[in-house]
Amino acid sequence: MSVVEPAMTAAELQGHVTDEGANARVAQARESSEWLSPDGVTEVVAFTASRPAHVTLFKTVVHPTRQA
């Protein structure tokens, strides 16, 4: 079993948040760093899934370079 944990990822999920405080924090975070692209996260998942059967990447945490 492998787990891929992406951090700030540009996706439609943020458009479903109704909490104004959360939306303000998200907007601030978008201004302070370049978020991961969905394609970038897909590449990490594909790499993880393509390892040989005797190799397990137990946990991969993926962050944008400048995320605090």
Side-chain angles (χ1 to χ4, degrees), residues 1-6 40-62:
M1 177 205 255
S2 296
V3 177
V4 176
E5 296 181 357
V41 175
T42 300
E43 286 182 35
V44 173
V45 171
F47 176 81
T48 301
S50 68
R51 298 305 82 207
H54 70 282
V55 174
T56 299
L57 295 177
F58 176 71
K59 182 176 181 181
T60 305
V61 181
V62 185

